[in-house]
Amino acid sequence: MGLVESKEWQSLETHYKKMKSVHLRDLFKDNDRFNKYSIRLEKLGLLFDYSKNIIDEETKKLLLDLVKASDLQTWTDKIFSGEKINWTEKRAVLHSALRNMSGKSVFVDGKDVMIDIKHVLAKMEKFTDDLRNGKWLGATGKQIKAVVNIGIGGSDLGPRMVCEALKYYADGPAVYFVSNVDGADIYEVLKKLDPETSLFIVASKTFTTQETMTNANTARKWLVEKLGENAIKNHFVALSTNKEKVAEFGIDTNNMFEFWNFVGGRYSLWSAIGLPIACAVGFDKFKELLTGAYEMDVHFKTAPIEQNIPVIMAVLGIWYNNFFNAQSYTVLPYSQYLHRFTAFLQQSDMESNGKTINRNGEKVNYQTGQVLWGEPGTNGQHSFYQLIHQGTKMIPCDFIGIVNPPKRIGDHHEKLLSNFFAQPEALAFGLTKEQATEALKASGASEEDIKMLTPHKIFEGNKPTNSILLDELTPKTLGALIAMYEHKIFVQGIIWQVNSYDQWGVELGKKLANVILPELKQEKENIHDCSTASLIKYYNKVKK
Ligand code: F6P
């Protein structure tokens, strides 16, 4: 039986018909609502308030029935124990092993992967210590002052986001990121650098990605022109699963930090891909990041589903995506340090669950994958919040706030957090016609203006939000926050019955770009549709 035909889904459909006309104002007549619908993780200093969602006890029960019917527990056991749940690539999905602090072994094909993981972690520790202490020197004997990570997708977004988030703790070399194949990206970074004091990290799981290899070759050429071929061993390291390609590129494989096919690109920041993080903040803080993620893994594996944050987040997402037909959702961090968090999550979430084919190889007849977007508050408030408050679409939001910021400057933080608290309140409860009219009267508006303005001043409210509060933004709490979203994505993939760990959808565009490349160099002509053909023709005519 298909998901939509299941009795759990059907019960939710029926229940939705009732809940679609329920308002949060009514639900909040229950004064105990916050206590009923919030979860505090004491150990991590994390509070998750989901009371401002259009749910009641019955909704929660029915959503959790859906979880039970999905056999989540079995799938959770499978993912953590190294079963090959990425069936289209026949791979295990073991980012959890990279942060496994339990001391227990994890096996893939009869081999304990923890042995290799620990070995690479030790190698990363030695390298980052040496780099930061000036033991690892450039070819001319100078200390490395700038590290450039060259990678894209999962080999960029995770470490880049974490380096930004932990900037307050950064006390190592400056870390730059180059990802775009647009030459402007590497050009603007290289012009700031001194080759004698710069080190390039070429980060690519496959070591074949066009963007990364093009940037890496440009960086290599730049360095060799200035310091000669022999300098490569002091100025290039690689993060990859592909030893042969690393050697082919000319990087000494002793300077390669390995990871494995059981680590998906978008889940790889916990692996050697996290090297730029360790360079920036030190290996101990990188380890704290892993510890935070591990603590969240423990919560996810052991908490009952009623008290399990990733599970609750996942089903709320499904409630709006599949029953309210919400077209997207936002993640809104009220922390400048987290300004890349949503961009990072876009890959994690959309590359994972943007799928149409289910476990039986059939096309699904329901919506999968949530469209995710957002910007840090309060910048977003002065941009797109208008549409969330008064537009025609329902856009559920995750608000993320920090109680104690790494650095307090005057009353900035109180101002920031007053907005963090105010926005979900405004979204939930809005402003009624009576309240809007009263406010206009109080402002001295004329009868005519009151009549004209009132409809525009009404806020319908009933916009669902989650509020996530971290007591502090530390490597540990950040690790937990990231892992929390990773598990949310996993649970949704299980319920939607899709493979969250492959990404075939990125292949076709790549292939076609390879067909077009020689045409732009005017080496070859191919047959295209009239639009693509005319665009290429136009480019070749206008290009200087
Ligand atoms: O965008 C597709 C993708 O395969 C991502 O999943 C991955 O993170 C990225 O490309 C980079 O791949 P690689 O690390 O192999 O260069």
Side-chain angles (χ1 to χ4, degrees), residues 198-269:
S198 302
L199 179 123
F200 295 92
I201 298 179
V202 185
S204 175
K205 182 172 166 181
T206 53
F207 232 71
T208 56
T209 304
Q210 187 205 48
E211 294 88 338
T212 301
M213 297 329 295
T214 306
N215 280 319
N217 277 308
T218 301
R220 187 184 195 283
K221 191 161 169 270
W222 176 84
L223 188 99
V224 168
E225 267 169 16
K226 313 249 159 71
L227 302 180
E229 196 77 26
N230 265 343
I232 290 178
K233 60 180 179 311
N234 298 62
H235 295 268
F236 273 84
V237 300
L239 319 177
S240 190
T241 57
N242 194 339
K243 220 172 184 169
E244 288 73 40
K245 288 277 172 203
V246 169
E248 218 174 87
F249 179 85
I251 296 178
D252 184 344
T253 49
N254 288 321
N255 294 345
M256 168 179 162
F257 298 82
E258 195 189 2
F259 61 112
W260 310 272
N261 273 339
F262 58 76
V263 182
R266 53 195 173 274
Y267 298 92
S268 63
L269 72 91

Side-chain angles (χ1 to χ4, degrees), residues 490-502:
F490 166 71
V491 176
Q492 291 185 328
I494 295 304
I495 294 175
W496 286 324
Q497 304 176 2
V498 296
N499 183 352
S500 303
Y501 301 103
D502 59 11

